[in-house]
Amino acid sequence: MKRKKLVGYIMTGALSVGVIGGAGMSAFAASDTTKSTTQSTTALPGEGFPQSEPKDSILDVLNQVTESKVTQQGANEVKLANNFLSTLTDEQKSTVQYEFTEENAEHWTNLPANSQNRNGVALGDLSDESIEAALKLAKASLSKQGYETLTEIIKADEFLTTDTGRTEWGSGLYYIAILGTPSENGEWMLQISGHHLAENIVFNGKEQVGATPQFTGSEPQTFELDGTTYSPIETRRDGMYSILESLTTNQLNKAKISETFRDVVVGADKDGQFPEESEGILYTDLTKDQQKLVQKAIKAWVKDADSKTANKLLKAYLSKEALAKTYIGWSGSTDYNEVGSYVRIDGPRLWLEIASQEGVAYQDDVSNDAHFHTVWRDKLMDYAGEFTE
């Protein structure tokens, strides 16, 4: 099978700058910051192949795995993880496998690959066999909704590179890493990371025990690729803003957060840095219909996890005790097309937030070019609670 080759190259070995939400962030290209590893279990975060060059499109293989009935959600992830590892060369294995430590687990980013390095190997550097095995593992580890979220975000990046000609984006620039050893007993973690995407899924043997932190985003909001229209964040966006639309003027005033934001608050490199005090309107101060909208919004994120994990988490997040301490807050604007619009749901464990940012690929001061960053965290069980104090 032939994979589409992206056109253009980015210079490596130099200082690169990623511009996110109008703020400049410098990072050395991966050829300066990475070095080969000799032991897979002692790899340092971000070690591996250069991460600032364009990679092959993976969409052909991605579409095949999506349409396949062979691998279903909830399949044996241990077996699928080891099948994936068996397709790799020794060099690739050393790049993909890490110890399951706090340092390695927390090393993820939503930035483009030329802005910051990350764990693992780019899918575009792998053979079709390895890509297929990696995506089968991802598909089994997520719900149908979750796998659709992942694949549509990847497709959004392919749209960006084909539409703009810029090569810091693309479907081949998504990375996979495995922390720990996939086995029938013992904890291990699957990490999939790329532009606007971070999945950090922890297993205890075959059982999934952690689904966060998760980062999702999309630029543009809606796009068409190969005749199909996609809106990867639409369900999340509509869930949050339907709550705001239901609030009365008094409720909106009560829910308004004093600070303004240009990005999510507890994103990459912000583990555990939740605000000391919750702000917004309490769930119990809402009408029954408004409360239903809050629950619907929560499910838009949580149901990305496999069904057993999602049900367990929803039981905790939606318990009477938890909801009595859950706040809904907003800042900036109630119009999601306006840059700086921000909404969060803040509970005893649950943390959800969505931030509307100015366009990076499309910067012409048109409000429709706003795009979204979202985060789902669990204050107690990020990384399955392994590193929670």
Side-chain angles (χ1 to χ4, degrees):
M1 176 190 304
K2 290 186 177 180
R3 298 201 301 276
K4 181 179 175 183
K5 183 71 175 178
L6 303 184
V7 179
Y9 297 89
I10 295 174
M11 183 179 294
T12 59
L15 187 68
S16 60
V17 178
V19 181
I20 302 296
M25 180 173 181
S26 62
F28 287 100
S31 59
D32 284 340
T33 58
T34 62
K35 49 189 176 179
S36 62
T37 55
T38 56
Q39 294 183 2
S40 62
T41 56
T42 57
L44 296 176
E47 289 189 329
F49 297 149
Q51 299 189 37
S52 57
E53 294 182 357
K55 303 289 187 278
D56 287 345
S57 168
I58 66 162
L59 291 193
D60 287 344
V61 184
L62 183 149
N63 289 332
Q64 284 187 356
V65 174
T66 300
E67 295 165 6
S68 172
K69 304 297 183 183
V70 175
T71 301
Q72 301 294 336
Q73 281 73 26
N76 188 327
E77 291 92 348
V78 171
K79 181 178 179 180
L80 290 170
N82 285 312
N83 285 347
F84 164 64
L85 292 172
S86 72
T87 69
L88 304 178
T89 66
D90 289 342
E91 181 182 7
Q92 289 170 335
K93 285 180 184 178
S94 71
T95 308
V96 165
Q97 291 190 279
Y98 297 76
E99 287 185 346
F100 185 22
T101 65
E102 183 173 10
E103 180 184 17
N104 289 336
E106 292 182 351
H107 187 75
W108 57 269
T109 178
N110 58 284
L111 297 179
N114 74 321
S115 298
Q116 186 172 329
N117 68 353
R118 50 193 16 101
N119 295 332
V121 62
L123 296 180
D125 277 323
L126 299 175
S127 67
D128 283 358
E129 180 187 17
S130 295
I131 296 170
E132 181 178 357
L135 292 173
K136 283 182 177 179
L137 172 58
K139 184 177 181 180
S141 303
L142 297 162
S143 67
K144 181 179 179 181
Q145 171 185 301
Y147 187 68
E148 286 177 355
T149 301
L150 178 145
T151 56
E152 289 187 10
I153 290 172
I154 292 174
K155 288 178 178 179
D157 234 46
E158 186 68 13
F159 173 83
L160 281 183
T161 193
T162 55
D163 193 51
T164 67
R166 291 169 59 176
T167 53
E168 65 263 46
W169 304 305
S171 60
L173 288 166
Y174 286 78
Y175 287 72
I176 182 169
I178 292 177
L179 283 60
T181 302
S183 63
E184 298 294 327
N185 44 60
E187 289 195 321
W188 59 282
M189 176 170 146
L190 170 64
Q191 192 174 69
I192 301 174
S193 174
H195 186 214
H196 285 147
L197 177 70
E199 298 281 3
N200 295 286
I201 304 171
V202 180
F203 299 88
N204 186 353
K206 295 186 290 184
E207 181 182 3
Q208 188 175 135
V209 292
T212 58
Q214 183 205 61
F215 187 105
T216 54
S218 179
E219 184 181 12
Q221 295 182 31
T222 301
F223 63 95
E224 184 176 314
L225 190 67
D226 297 329
T228 301
T229 300
Y230 300 95
S231 299
I233 307 302
E234 182 176 31
T235 304
R236 287 161 160 76
R237 180 199 69 195
D238 291 352
M240 288 295 219
Y241 284 90
S242 67
I243 301 171
L244 297 190
E245 290 169 4
S246 77
L247 300 181
T248 66
T249 300
N250 287 338
Q251 286 176 321
L252 279 172
N253 289 336
K254 192 171 182 179
K256 190 170 184 179
I257 300 170
S258 57
E259 191 176 350
T260 57
F261 309 97
R262 285 298 180 119
D263 202 352
V264 292
V265 176
V266 197
D269 300 320
K270 300 291 184 180
D271 291 274
Q273 297 181 36
F274 302 98
E276 292 184 4
E277 294 186 6
S278 297
E279 291 187 76
I281 186 170
L282 269 170
Y283 174 89
T284 49
D285 290 336
L286 303 177
T287 68
K288 295 295 184 183
D289 287 342
Q290 290 170 334
Q291 290 175 352
K292 289 178 182 178
L293 292 176
V294 174
Q295 293 192 34
K296 184 177 180 180
I298 291 170
K299 291 174 184 177
W301 274 268
V302 179
K303 286 197 170 184
D304 272 11
D306 72 10
S307 59
K308 185 177 180 180
T309 304
N311 290 338
K312 186 182 300 184
L313 291 171
L314 287 172
K315 186 176 181 180
Y317 299 160
L318 302 182
S319 70
K320 184 177 180 179
E321 296 76 16
L323 289 174
K325 299 177 182 178
T326 296
Y327 291 78
I328 297 87
W330 69 278
S331 176
S333 172
T334 58
D335 180 354
Y336 60 71
N337 277 317
E338 290 192 21
V339 172
S341 179
Y342 174 91
V343 190
R344 79 167 60 140
I345 297 176
D346 178 9
R349 282 180 54 178
L350 176 66
W351 176 270
L352 298 175
E353 53 182 333
I354 182 169
S356 182
Q357 298 204 309
E358 63 185 347
V360 175
Y362 309 102
Q363 291 183 322
D364 56 6
D365 297 323
V366 177
S367 61
N368 285 342
D369 289 335
H371 76 285
F372 305 107
H373 286 181
T374 92
V375 161
W376 166 27
R377 282 187 178 270
D378 189 310
K379 297 175 185 178
L380 297 181
M381 292 298 289
D382 273 359
Y383 313 107
E386 280 295 297
F387 315 114
T388 303
E389 296 180 0

